[in-house]
Structure formats: structure tokens, C-alpha cells
Amino acid sequence: MSDTLTSILNKLLNQPTAPFHEYHVREAIEQLLLDVPHVDLSHDAFGNLLVTYRKGKRRSTPTWVLGAHMDHPAFVKVPNKDEWDFLGGMPKAVVELEENVAQRKEHGDFAPWDFDAVVDNGRVQAPACDDLVGCSVIVAVFKELARLGLDATVHAAFTRAEEVGFLGAWHLGKNWPFGKESVFLSVETSRPVNGAELGEGPMIRVGDRLSIFDNELTKILVSTAMGQGIRVQRCLLDAGACEASALQACGIRSAGVSVPLGNYHNLDDDQVLAPEWVYLEDVQSMVNLLVALVGVDQHGLEERPLEERVSLRMKEFKKHLEAGNSKFEALAV
């Protein structure tokens, strides 16, 4: 599995990308998934890549839609002009530094930062781990489900133009193609904050800067990790926002997971331009978590819903409740 994950990372992290110019990444993902058994590929009207793994009649409850975006902040040519815009969240003063402008590499109409993608010694670095690592995780999950021959149904959405305001995710949410029973899971790389650390496992997001995520879905993620012995970090990652907030705003139940990310948006702790990086072990643990999430019977992992637990308690303590109520009534006379 690790060899497969490494080859996927090498393939995708070497693809240049920018908001609205995700075609190299999309084509590479399609090539990786094209011949995988039980996998179907399609595009929506916005150009998001939609993928479904379906084998057998078993459907997990809920049915998950794994989501990752294919773009990353970069320079993009202004249409019909000999000018460049920088699209995505980086400080203008940093982007405009002469030495940083010289650190870009043109690929036709766009120019990402010119850093090498390297997977070595347990560490992964690239010009765009965010969110090509997330894309790699989802591809690895689909390949592993097929290799194991697991009966399951799971979807994926590889979205465009996340870095300029969730445009691909918004289109997905407003034109949701997966049915009412399906829920969305953002698969990201994120700066670890609020006690989270690099190398300590995937982060299960309570929420982000914009919203708090679905409590029941978050519980399923935590229960799955506990049941499989996968080390995770449960935390509020409020230093940024992810596509789960966009899908929630469209009325889709959503949750989020992230691989801890170093040098978020290509800036180190001193605000110097640098490649992004993650630990390979954190990435592998994320793959393991998501394979278990869709491949294991959740009814054996999930706690009883809160409503059911309270109802059982009401029956268990009915006599105590009635005895206490009689005292209240006696004092009220």
C-alpha cells in the first residue's frame, strides 16, 4: 500500500496547477483511476471531476462523498492582456517581492512556485501539497477499496477554484448529484493549530473559521479511528476554512479531515517562500482512516445516536423521575 501511495503522490504532486487551470491535475487523476475496477468517472458542468466506487449492494450509512480541490495559489495570466494576477491567499507584499516573482515557473497561462516535489525519508514536500495531497489520499482510497474487493458505495468530488472562494464546491453543492442520503467529507491539508501537531496523525476537524461541522458525522470519524486503532487529533482548525463550510451552506451535511501541513501556502514561520510539506505517515494514516470509514460496517463502530441514548435513560430512570416529580408537586402545594 505504501508503494502505491508513494507513486500516487509522485504523480500528482508533480502536476502544475492554479485556480481555473487544474487540467493537468484532473487528467492525472483520471489516468490513475481509469482502469480501477468498479470505478466510474464523469465531469459536472463546472469541470469538477466526479468519481464513484460501487461494488455489491451494500451501502454504508451514511454514503460518503470525499472531496478535495485540485488548485493551489499561483500566478495566472489576465485574459487578453500581457499581465499576471496572483490568485489565492498569500500576502500581496510577499507575492510582489522581486526575488519571489523570479521563483515562479510558467506553464502557459499560469505560473506556480518553482519547487521540486520530493517524497523521501518519510517526508513529502511539493509546491502544492494543499490540496494535491488530499487528491492523492482519495485516489489511494479508491485503489485500496478495489484491491481489497470491498463491497461498498462511495463517491468523490475533485473540485476546481477552491482557492478563490470555493467556486467548484459551491457549484457542487447547488447541483448535488449524489442523493439526499449522501454526506460530504472535506479531505484537506491544513496548518495545525489549537494543540494539533505535525506527525501526530490526521486531524478530525470539529470545524473551521466559518462553521462547526456535523456532530454525528464527526462522531463516526472518531469512532472509526478508535475502532481501527488509528491515531488521530480532534480539533478546531480555525486558522482557515475548507469546502465543508461551503457544502454546509448549500444544505449538505458535512465534516472535515486534514493532514497536518507545514509551510501553509508556501510560507515558512519567517514568512519566507518555501515548499509545503507533510509527513508520509500522516498521509498513510489518513488513507487507512478513510478506507475503514467506507469499508467497515459503521453500525458496529458508531455509538448509539444521542436521541436513542437519552430515550433509553428515560426508561431506565422512569421510577426515579416519577418519585422526584411527586416531591416537586408536594412542595408546590
Side-chain angles (χ1 to χ4, degrees):
M1 177 61 175
S2 59
D3 290 342
T4 301
L5 177 59
T6 300
S7 66
I8 294 168
L9 287 164
N10 277 317
K11 176 76 171 180
L12 293 187
L13 292 177
N14 277 289
Q15 304 304 318
T17 190
F20 307 107
H21 295 271
E22 304 90 349
Y23 27 83
H24 296 295
V25 174
R26 195 178 77 173
E27 181 181 11
I29 294 172
E30 290 173 338
Q31 289 176 357
L32 287 166
L33 291 175
L34 190 60
D35 296 324
V36 176
H38 316 296
V39 169
D40 294 318
L41 309 173
S42 64
H43 305 147
D44 66 14
F46 195 78
N48 298 319
L49 173 60
L50 309 180
V51 182
T52 294
Y53 172 91
R54 183 181 286 109
K55 181 179 182 294
K57 296 182 178 180
R58 177 185 170 274
R59 297 176 67 88
S60 61
T61 304
T63 300
W64 295 91
V65 180
L66 311 179
H69 62 89
M70 299 182 288
D71 62 321
H72 187 76
F75 293 90
V76 175
K77 278 188 177 179
V78 179
N80 303 316
K81 291 185 179 180
D82 189 23
E83 300 175 11
W84 293 85
D85 279 339
F86 190 87
L87 303 184
M90 287 189 71
K92 186 176 181 181
V94 173
V95 170
E96 292 180 346
L97 282 175
E98 186 175 344
E99 60 265 34
N100 289 345
V101 173
Q103 188 68 20
R104 67 188 189 186
K105 183 176 182 179
E106 293 187 20
H107 293 269
D109 290 333
F110 68 100
W113 301 118
D114 188 15
F115 295 115
D116 292 332
V118 180
V119 182
D120 192 29
N121 294 324
R123 180 165 158 154
V124 180
Q125 78 163 44
C129 288
D130 171 26
D131 189 24
L132 299 191
V133 166
C135 293
S136 300
V137 165
I138 296 174
V139 170
V141 168
F142 276 57
K143 282 181 169 287
E144 183 67 358
L145 291 172
R147 186 187 72 81
L148 295 171
L150 293 180
D151 287 348
T153 295
V154 59
H155 308 287
F158 299 92
T159 60
R160 301 180 60 209
E162 186 270 353
E163 298 289 359
V164 292
F166 310 123
L167 300 190
W170 192 258
H171 177 90
L172 179 72
K174 288 297 185 181
N175 302 273
W176 188 245
F178 300 114
K180 293 181 180 180
E181 78 287 354
S182 296
V183 299
F184 182 78
L185 181 64
S186 171
V187 183
E188 267 273 17
T189 56
S190 303
R191 180 169 45 202
V193 295
N194 296 326
E197 297 181 15
L198 285 144
E200 294 299 317
M203 300 179 292
I204 296 177
R205 305 182 73 150
V206 174
D208 62 13
R209 179 172 52 82
L210 298 178
S211 65
I212 299 299
F213 301 150
D214 186 281
N215 181 59
E216 291 299 321
L217 300 182
T218 302
K219 277 175 49 185
I220 292 174
L221 287 161
V222 172
S223 297
T224 301
M226 292 178 61
Q228 298 297 306
I230 300 169
R231 183 175 59 177
V232 296
Q233 308 175 77
R234 181 179 181 272
C235 48
L236 175 66
L237 299 182
D238 56 356
C242 72
E243 292 179 309
S245 280
L247 271 293
Q248 281 200 148
C250 294
I252 308 298
R253 293 178 64 200
S254 300
V257 291
S258 291
V259 173
L261 175 69
N263 297 341
Y264 169 76
H265 279 192
N266 302 108
L267 292 177
D268 67 13
D269 292 340
D270 298 319
Q271 298 294 285
V272 174
L273 201 64
E276 295 185 324
W277 68 277
V278 298
Y279 282 119
L280 182 59
E281 184 178 359
D282 286 341
V283 183
Q284 181 66 71
S285 293
M286 179 70 85
V287 175
N288 296 343
L289 174 64
L290 299 187
V291 169
L293 183 70
V294 301
V296 176
D297 184 2
Q298 297 302 325
H299 295 293
L301 295 171
E302 185 185 0
E303 294 181 7
R304 294 178 186 271
L306 183 59
E307 180 180 1
E308 183 179 347
R309 287 154 58 194
V310 172
S311 296
L312 289 171
R313 291 292 190 223
M314 287 291 288
K315 292 179 181 178
E316 180 181 355
F317 295 110
K318 182 179 179 181
K319 291 182 179 180
H320 290 287
L321 176 63
E322 291 173 348
N325 286 349
S326 66
K327 299 297 183 181
F328 274 95
E329 292 167 2
L331 289 172
V333 174

